[in-house]
């Protein structure tokens, strides 16, 4: 008797029900709340916001909960949501020079105006499991001395310091009246402008960029990087309403910025000077920002007269493969039925085998 | 005026700069149907840059390259559209790279390598394409039984002969050759040169061949240009230039070969 | 117009996006077989699961349309069910499994066996739109090759097949030339379906979401499968007939019925097979 292997509405509904049960887990264990995720899994939240291209910690927390902690799935949820949102305005460029800095380090100068600020970092922690965290603890009273607000001192960017001597290539703002590529509205085309590249990288998968950035350090498109500056903190987002003579702030967002400084021996058209790679993420995303900066610099090879030879320098390769939605969807689509194609191949392989067998028989008969 | 009254290729004051440096400067010559022009010089003399400019692969900074097209007479190749240039490349022109791997498709069979240009201009009969490939394998002295083998499995000399067959199958009018015997053993070189001379003569090909090897031009070229630091320092009939060099640099080149 | 699923626009996409998609589709229809880039939107389904076809359908569907969705020729495969319910929910359209009743048929991997009519639209889900992709990985180069009709390399591939296997060994996603100009991938339909594309009275639209391309074959357009004069294009044939309806002219799925390797063959097009079975029952009853 022929039993249909094809699924249907009922199978899908049953699968969804099972998924909901698995997501909830043991009902004896209290259900996660969004504030818990937002506050206590904040780095997961910021990654989902960055690659999901939507700054909304609460929705990111919801996506993480719904995706059972699968961040790539959560990013997908957030992106599918954001694509339906109307646009009210385009913000002015954020000014990270005016950032309310909570962390700021430079690997190029021992001391910099404004100082180095270690901030909340995993760096220099010993990666020992802290068994004290296994049980919830009562909240300690805030330390009065440390919570004393620091006197705001100006923190010029390290890039600006190097720039004064002409040692670092200037970052010229493009023609501001020219329309910017917007990857959420237009397809990528090649050669891609730097703004399109940075957009793609900012939304790109952290793991992919990390490995590519790492590969440049190991010699696959080496570009001699120094971490010029990494800064993390809050910046104001401003818009310029047409009817007002001045911009107005609409809120603050937390970002991490990485200015990679790369030595450069000069080319036919450019003098020896330091060049840049740039990385920016929502929230605290140092690893991603640094990887992005390495890959950004690697992708500038043609512009700087370097011969592209490695994967990280290959614009089409990097930009076509960095998006986790595209990659995850296409890899996993192999789960969809391919009966028809497989049947076509079966028919052909059988025919070819028969042909080959007949040829062998004929040969043996001779 | 009919087409044979004109040179096939006319080069006028061709100049190419890299930054401040002239890679080649003020090069002019005519190439006539059936003529083989040799260009010799040391590495860095600008001969490869010149070849790249002539074969429409590198836009010059000054001067013109005129080609006597089949239907429109003399045309500046850099004023034709990219479509026209690419069509010329796969029909009227051939290009033999020093490294055959640059000119072959290594992942497809020898037969397909030869057949590609035919298919590119519309050949749609498998049997005829295969016959043409078989014939050309024979003409370049490769065993016909190797027709379905990948070029990877071939020796360097065989790869080079395959590259030549792949170029000649559409009967081009001009072939540009970049050090065609470079990287081959001496004995293999001699055989390849013989083969080239025979093919060039029997097909009436026009050729521009760039080499540092005077033996190659001695055997192949009717005329010769000697290049140094981007300029042509001496030119003339091959035997004349080699037997009675006028320019000090040419004398040095010739004598260094004799001593070697 | 608001959709039936609260919080989202009719047929999910906002009207501005739909206008953009319609402009792209018009361009695609005007240049048969040419891949028009478009600004892909994230859809609530993963890439590779039909997001291109879904965006095309979303931009052309209206309240009066009747939608049929098939995957592998069948209406009841899970992904077809999922896409159909998506449009039922977001656009409130009527759905059908009957090819002749549908105004829009969205498909993955098959063309229905019943001939399409004028006024119908067949929307293909396309994973990889570029026919030159396996031969030349660079987009910048493939676009140039299309622009200049440099298609010799496609025949090199067919030549290699014949040289190696004695025949053209491509059985699905078999490349075609549209309107004697652009080489096109028909999406992974079996080559069995290729002849149905030629001079078809219906409009055929192809959507590749992840790769951000839309292309089209307008009604009554010439579609030729690539081949050699002495090795003409041919389609799959089966010795068997459909075990359920007896059809000998349809594409057959092979069903393994036991662990001893017993097999049966049935139509991959469930609508076609169902109609034939019903007709047989009727005949038997008379
Ligand atoms: Zn049937």
């Amino acid at each position: 008797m022929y039993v249909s292997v094809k699924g249907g509405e009922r199978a899908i509904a049953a699968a969804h029900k099972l998924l909901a049960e698995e997501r909830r887990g043991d009902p004896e264990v209290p259900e996660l709340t969004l504030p818990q995720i937002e506050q206590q899994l904040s780095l997961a939240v910021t990654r989902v916001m960055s690659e999901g291209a939507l700054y909304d910690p609460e929705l990111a927390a919801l996506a993480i909960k719904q995706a059972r902690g699968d961040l790539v799935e959560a990013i997908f949820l957030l992106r599918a949501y954001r694509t339906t949102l109307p646009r009210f305005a385009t913000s002015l460029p954020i000014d990270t020079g005016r950032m309310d800095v909570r962390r700021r380090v430079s690997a190029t100068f021992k001391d910099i105006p404004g100082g180095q600020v270690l901030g909340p970092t995993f760096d220099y922690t010993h990666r020992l499991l802290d068994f004290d965290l296994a049980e919830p603890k009562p909240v300690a009273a805030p330390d009065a001395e440390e919570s004393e607000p620091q006197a705001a001192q100006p923190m010029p960017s390290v890039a600006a310091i190097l720039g004064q001597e002409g040692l670092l290539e200037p970052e010229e703002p493009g023609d501001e009246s020219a329309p910017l590529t917007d990857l959420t509205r237009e397809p990528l085309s090649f050669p891609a402008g730097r703004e399109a590249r940075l957009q793609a990288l900012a939304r790109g998968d952290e793991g992919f960029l990390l490995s590519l950035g790492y590969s440049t350090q190991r010699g696959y498109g080496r570009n001699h990087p120094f971490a010029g500056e990494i800064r993390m903190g809050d910046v104001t987002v401003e818009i310029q309403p047409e009817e007002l003579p001045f911009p107005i702030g609409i809120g603050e967002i937390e970002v991490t910025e990485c200015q990679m400084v790369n030595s450069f021996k000069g080319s036919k058209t450019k003098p020896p000077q330091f060049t840049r790679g740039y990385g920016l993420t929502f929230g605290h995303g140092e690893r991603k920002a640094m990887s992005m900066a390495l890959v950004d610099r690697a992708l500038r090879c043609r512009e700087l007269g370097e011969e592209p030879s490695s994967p990280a320098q290959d614009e089409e390769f990097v930009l076509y493969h960095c998006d986790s939605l595209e990659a995850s969807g296409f890899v996993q689509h192999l789960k969809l039925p391919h009966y028809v194609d497989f049947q076509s191949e079966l028919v052909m392989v059988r025919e070819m085998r028969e042909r080959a067998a007949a040829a062998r028989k004929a040969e043996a008969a001779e | 005026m009919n087409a044979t009254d004109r040179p096939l290729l006319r080069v006028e004051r061709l100049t190419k700069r890299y930054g401040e440096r002239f890679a080649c400067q003020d090069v002019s010559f005519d190439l006539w149907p059936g003529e083989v022009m040799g260009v010799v010089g040391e590495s860095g003399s600008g001969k490869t840059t010149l070849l790249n400019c002539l074969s429409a692969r590198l836009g010059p900074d000054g001067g013109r390259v005129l080609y006597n097209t089949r239907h429109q007479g003399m045309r500046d190749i850099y004023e034709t559209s990219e479509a026209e240039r690419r069509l010329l490349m796969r029909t009227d022109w051939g290009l033999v790279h020093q490294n055959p791997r640059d000119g072959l498709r290594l992942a497809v069979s020898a037969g397909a390598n030869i057949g590609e240009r035919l298919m590119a201009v519309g050949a749609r009969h498998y049997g005829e394409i295969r016959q043409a490939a078989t014939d050309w394998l024979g003409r370049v002295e490769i065993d016909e039984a190797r027709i379905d083998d990948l070029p990877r499995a071939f020796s360097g000399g065989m790869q080079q002969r395959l590259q030549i067959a792949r170029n000649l199958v559409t009967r081009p009018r001009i072939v540009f050759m970049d050090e065609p015997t470079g990287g081959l053993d001496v004995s293999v070189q001699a055989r390849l040169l013989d083969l080239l001379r025979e093919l060039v003569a029997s097909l009436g090909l026009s050729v521009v061949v760039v080499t540092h090897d005077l033996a190659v031009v001695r055997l192949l070229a009717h005329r010769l240009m000697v290049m140094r630091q981007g300029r042509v320092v001496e030119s003339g009939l091959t035997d004349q230039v080699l037997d009675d060099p006028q320019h000090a640099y040419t004398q040095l080149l010739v004598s260094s070969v004799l001593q070697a | 117009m608001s959709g039936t699923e609260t919080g989202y626009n009719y047929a999910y996409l906002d009207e501005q996006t739909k206008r953009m998609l319609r402009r792209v589709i018009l361009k695609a229809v005007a240049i048969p077989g040419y891949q028009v880039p478009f600004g892909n939107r994230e859809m609530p389904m993963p890439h590779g699961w039909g997001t291109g076809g879904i965006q095309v359908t979303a931009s052309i569907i209206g309240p009066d349309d009747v939608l049929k969705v098939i995957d592998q020729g069948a209406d009841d495969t899970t992904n077809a069910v999922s896409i159909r319910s998506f449009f039922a929910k977001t656009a409130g359209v009527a759905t059908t499994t009957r090819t002749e009743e549908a105004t829009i048929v969205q498909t993955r991997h098959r063309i229905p066996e019943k001939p399409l009519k004028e006024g119908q639209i067949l929307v293909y889900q396309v994973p990889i739109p570029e026919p030159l992709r396996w031969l030349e990985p660079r987009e910048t180069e493939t676009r140039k090759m299309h622009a200049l009709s440099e298609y010799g390399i496609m025949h090199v591939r067919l030549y290699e097949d014949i040289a190696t296997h004695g025949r053209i060994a491509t059985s699905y996603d078999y490349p075609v030339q549209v309107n004697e100009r652009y080489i096109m991938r028909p999406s992974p339909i079996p080559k069995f379906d290729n002849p149905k594309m030629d001079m078809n009275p219906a409009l055929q639209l192809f959507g590749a979401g992840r790769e951000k391309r839309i292309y089209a074959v307008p009604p009554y357009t010439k579609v030729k499968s690539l081949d050699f004069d002495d090795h003409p294009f041919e389609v799959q044939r089966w010795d068997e007939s459909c075990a359920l309806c007896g059809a000998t002219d349809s594409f057959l799925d092979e069903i393994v019925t036991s662990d001893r390797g017993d097999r049966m063959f049935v139509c991959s097009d469930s609508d076609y097979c169902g109609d034939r079975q019903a007709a047989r029952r009727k005949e038997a009853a008379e």
Side-chain angles (χ1 to χ4, degrees):
Chain A
M1 181 54 209
Y2 165 46
V3 183
S4 171
V5 288
K6 292 165 180 173
E9 230 135 339
R10 287 219 321 269
I12 295 179
H16 289 175
K17 186 161 167 284
L18 271 177
L19 174 64
E21 282 171 19
E22 295 265 330
R23 175 190 303 123
R24 179 59 184 87
D26 183 349
E28 297 291 305
V29 177
E31 183 170 341
L32 263 178
T33 65
L34 299 192
Q36 283 175 334
I37 297 173
E38 201 183 316
Q39 294 301 314
Q40 297 173 40
L41 299 177
S42 55
L43 296 185
V45 168
T46 60
R47 177 170 174 199
V48 169
M49 291 196 303
S50 275
E51 293 175 35
L54 181 69
Y55 196 96
D56 189 324
E58 195 184 348
L59 285 182
L62 174 60
I64 291 167
K65 179 176 178 180
Q66 186 179 335
R68 305 170 61 194
D70 179 337
L71 297 190
V72 171
E73 187 67 29
I75 289 160
F76 182 5
L77 286 168
L78 207 58
R79 283 252 209 114
Y81 175 76
R82 84 174 288 290
T83 198
T84 66
L85 297 176
R87 291 186 173 212
F88 299 118
T90 304
S91 74
L92 298 172
I94 56 170
D95 183 355
T96 52
R98 281 164 42 201
M99 178 186 285
D100 184 2
V101 170
R102 288 211 301 287
R103 168 163 166 79
R104 188 246 201 153
V105 290
S106 169
T108 48
F109 295 106
K110 186 173 177 196
D111 210 358
I112 39 177
Q116 310 245 15
V117 180
L118 215 45
T121 176
F122 288 123
D123 298 349
Y124 317 110
T125 61
H126 295 150
R127 267 61 166 203
L128 302 170
L129 277 177
D130 181 355
F131 296 104
D132 285 349
L133 286 177
E135 292 298 331
K137 265 194 317 205
V139 181
D143 190 326
E145 206 174 313
E146 272 188 33
S147 62
E148 191 79 11
Q150 289 184 334
Q153 36 179 332
M155 286 195 182
S157 78
V158 171
I161 300 167
L162 274 169
Q164 283 163 5
E165 266 187 85
L167 287 173
L168 183 67
E169 59 170 345
E171 200 91 291
E172 308 283 359
D175 177 3
E176 285 187 27
S177 61
L180 281 178
T181 307
D182 179 353
L183 278 192
T184 65
R185 306 270 136 168
E186 302 155 42
L188 197 55
S189 64
F190 293 99
R194 189 159 179 223
E195 82 257 23
R197 284 199 317 241
L198 289 172
Q199 286 171 35
L201 297 179
R203 290 152 55 101
D205 181 72
E206 177 172 326
F208 181 73
L209 295 188
L210 174 65
S211 296
L212 276 177
Y214 175 50
S215 73
T216 65
Q217 290 179 285
R218 291 195 65 259
Y220 291 86
R222 189 145 181 255
N223 54 36
H224 312 275
F226 298 93
E229 182 173 3
I230 295 155
R231 55 167 67 194
M232 184 273 285
D234 293 337
V235 293
T236 304
V237 177
E238 293 176 323
I239 58 169
Q240 172 69 66
E242 264 175 48
E243 58 274 23
L244 287 180
F246 49 83
I248 53 169
I250 55 168
E252 299 225 308
I253 59 171
E254 185 187 52
V255 297
T256 304
E257 181 186 57
C258 172
Q259 291 269 8
M260 210 57 95
V261 172
N262 307 68
S263 1
F264 178 60
K265 294 201 177 62
S267 70
K268 284 172 194 125
T269 51
K270 298 213 170 193
Q273 61 182 348
F274 291 99
T275 57
R276 310 175 186 229
Y278 186 76
L280 185 80
T281 70
F282 287 152
H284 192 180
E286 249 167 79
R287 188 194 300 122
K288 163 79 184 272
M290 293 176 76
S291 307
M292 176 174 167
L294 287 174
V295 176
D296 171 47
R297 175 59 185 78
L299 289 175
R300 295 182 60 209
C301 60
R302 267 177 225 280
E303 164 201 344
L304 295 169
E306 297 161 347
E307 190 60 36
S309 57
S310 301
Q313 296 170 312
D314 185 329
E315 185 175 81
E316 284 197 27
F317 180 83
V318 174
L319 300 191
Y320 269 146
H321 300 117
C322 68
D323 190 87
S324 69
L325 256 64
E326 293 175 7
S328 165
F330 201 51
V331 165
Q332 298 201 62
H333 108 284
L334 291 173
K335 291 181 286 195
L336 287 181
H338 286 77
Y339 320 135
V340 168
D341 298 347
F342 188 72
Q343 184 62 37
S344 302
E345 291 289 280
L346 263 181
V347 170
M348 193 183 63
V349 170
R350 282 196 186 120
E351 272 178 27
M352 280 162 54
R353 285 173 63 91
E354 277 166 24
R355 204 185 256 257
R360 270 199 303 277
K361 218 180 250 174
E363 218 166 87
E366 271 169 24
Chain B
M1 196 155 53
N2 100 30
T4 51
D5 296 338
R6 297 190 194 142
L8 203 49
L9 198 68
R10 166 161 286 170
V11 182
E12 292 175 351
R13 309 205 57 178
L14 198 72
T15 297
K16 178 73 194 175
R17 265 192 308 269
Y18 290 118
E20 293 300 295
R21 195 173 63 81
F22 284 92
C24 68
Q25 193 174 0
D26 275 343
V27 177
S28 301
F29 70 94
D30 285 347
L31 183 73
W32 293 84
E35 188 179 37
V36 179
M37 170 67 82
V39 182
V40 296
E42 298 165 304
S43 62
S45 62
K47 58 187 192 307
T48 298
T49 299
L50 174 65
L51 193 79
N52 289 340
C53 289
L54 296 182
S55 54
R57 288 177 302 157
L58 182 66
D61 296 313
R64 300 197 298 172
V65 180
L66 301 166
Y67 172 68
N68 192 358
T69 59
R70 288 180 200 258
H71 304 296
Q72 293 173 292
M74 297 301 271
R75 294 200 54 194
D76 184 337
I77 57 165
Y78 287 101
E79 279 174 10
T80 60
S81 67
E82 187 176 11
E84 290 173 296
R85 278 205 297 276
R86 284 172 73 129
L87 181 67
L88 271 185
M89 299 260 219
R90 53 181 205 266
T91 53
D92 270 18
W93 293 8
L95 182 62
V96 175
H97 297 263
Q98 170 172 6
N99 186 346
R101 287 163 177 272
D102 295 336
L104 292 173
R105 283 193 195 276
L106 296 174
V108 303
S109 68
N113 264 286
I114 298 177
E116 179 174 351
R117 274 169 77 115
L118 293 172
M119 291 183 257
V121 295
R124 291 292 177 265
H125 192 283
Y126 174 82
E128 287 168 13
I129 294 163
R130 198 159 170 86
Q131 187 55 50
T134 309
D135 293 347
W136 271 100
L137 283 177
R139 291 192 75 161
V140 298
E141 299 167 13
I142 295 174
D143 182 355
E144 290 163 15
R146 307 290 304 265
I147 188 166
D148 294 330
D149 291 354
L150 296 183
R152 276 189 234 288
F154 288 6
S155 69
M158 277 167 75
Q159 285 181 355
Q160 194 57 293
R161 280 178 275 137
L162 182 64
Q163 190 192 186
I164 289 163
R166 171 179 161 83
N167 271 283
L168 298 188
V169 65
T170 50
R171 299 297 176 104
R173 297 163 82 199
I174 299 188
V175 180
F176 299 97
M177 298 185 187
D178 187 7
E179 303 275 10
T181 59
L184 299 177
D185 293 343
V186 179
S187 62
V188 179
Q189 279 185 20
R191 184 172 164 207
L192 185 70
L193 277 177
D194 273 345
L195 177 71
L196 271 179
R197 188 164 62 167
E198 188 273 316
L199 287 171
V200 166
S202 66
L203 297 171
L205 286 177
S206 301
V207 176
V208 178
V209 56
V210 158
T211 179
H212 70 283
D213 186 348
L214 296 185
V216 170
V217 286
R218 170 81 83 181
L219 214 62
L220 280 183
H222 304 119
R223 284 196 299 145
L224 200 58
M225 297 196 306
V226 182
M227 285 188 75
R228 184 178 184 227
Q229 291 171 357
R231 285 181 174 278
V232 175
V233 296
E234 184 165 359
S235 64
L237 295 174
T238 302
D239 290 342
Q240 234 166 44
V241 174
L242 293 183
D243 295 341
D244 185 18
Q246 300 299 304
H247 193 279
Y249 177 70
T250 316
Q251 291 165 358
L252 191 71
L253 269 187
V254 172
S255 66
S256 66
V257 169
L258 291 178
Q259 283 159 12
Chain C
M1 209 184 318
S2 71
T4 47
E5 180 92 324
T6 38
Y8 290 102
N9 193 36
Y10 180 77
Y12 187 75
L13 295 172
D14 58 283
E15 293 305 314
Q16 209 182 345
T17 297
K18 287 191 211 167
R19 264 198 299 280
M20 175 274 291
L21 283 163
R22 288 180 204 129
R23 276 198 295 271
V24 167
I25 291 169
L26 284 176
K27 182 169 178 184
V29 170
I31 318 172
Y34 172 74
Q35 302 166 47
V36 187
F38 76 101
N40 172 61
R41 298 290 187 269
E42 281 91 354
M43 298 301 284
M45 292 85 152
H47 285 303
W49 300 55
T51 53
I54 292 166
Q55 286 177 79
V56 169
T57 299
S59 72
I60 58 171
I61 204 163
D64 299 334
D65 274 308
V66 180
L67 178 70
K68 172 181 164 81
V69 183
I70 52 173
D71 189 338
Q72 314 298 300
D75 299 87
D76 61 348
T77 34
T78 31
N79 204 41
V81 169
S82 159
I83 292 171
R84 193 164 54 237
S85 70
F86 174 73
F87 280 114
K89 221 162 34 177
T90 59
V93 293
T95 60
T96 184
T97 58
R98 299 178 61 82
T99 302
E100 62 273 28
E101 285 172 3
T103 55
I104 300 173
V105 180
Q106 180 167 329
T107 179
R108 177 168 172 267
H109 293 193
R110 278 307 312 276
I111 299 176
E113 304 288 4
K114 294 178 188 166
L116 298 172
K117 303 174 301 227
E118 275 182 29
Q120 288 184 304
I121 301 177
L122 183 59
V123 178
Y124 297 75
Q125 300 170 201
V126 180
I128 308 257
E130 180 50 71
L132 302 167
R133 183 58 71 236
W134 310 137
L135 307 162
E136 171 54 61
R138 317 240 137 231
E139 179 71 19
T140 33
E141 182 62 17
T142 50
R143 285 188 82 76
K144 203 170 276 178
M145 290 161 83
H146 280 296
L148 303 178
S149 297
E150 280 184 11
Y151 291 138
I153 186 75
M154 291 303 290
H155 274 85
V156 169
R157 184 174 131 189
L158 302 184
Y159 171 98
E160 285 293 87
D161 272 1
I162 301 173
T164 319
H165 309 295
R167 52 180 294 165
I168 296 171
T170 300
S171 61
Y172 62 94
D173 213 344
Y174 190 106
V176 295
Q177 187 155 32
V178 180
N179 200 28
E180 303 182 342
R181 176 60 178 85
Y182 286 97
I183 302 268
M184 183 188 95
R185 278 177 93 132
S187 87
I189 57 172
K191 65 179 180 178
F192 179 88
D193 285 341
N194 272 25
K196 296 177 188 164
M197 286 189 288
D198 183 36
M199 301 306 280
N200 196 308
L203 169 63
Q204 303 175 69
L205 300 175
F206 299 77
R210 193 178 38 77
E211 300 273 341
K212 304 163 189 70
R213 297 287 185 274
I214 287 172
Y215 50 103
V217 175
Y220 301 110
T221 301
K222 216 170 145 183
V223 177
K224 186 185 184 317
S225 303
L226 300 186
D227 62 3
F228 285 106
D229 298 344
D230 50 342
H231 283 264
F233 171 79
E234 49 187 30
V235 300
Q236 292 100 331
R237 296 264 169 252
W238 284 261
D239 298 332
E240 299 81 2
S241 56
C242 172
L244 300 178
C245 77
T248 53
D249 57 353
S250 66
F251 189 91
L252 298 179
D253 271 349
E254 186 170 333
I255 315 283
V256 180
T257 52
S258 78
D259 53 8
R260 296 182 310 276
D262 293 329
R263 287 167 161 68
M264 64 189 278
F265 289 83
V266 298
C267 297
S268 106
D269 185 333
S270 52
D271 171 47
Y272 180 71
C273 193
D275 271 14
R276 287 182 49 90
Q277 290 177 58
R280 271 183 146 193
R281 275 195 299 274
K282 203 170 153 213
E283 225 168 79
E286 275 164 11

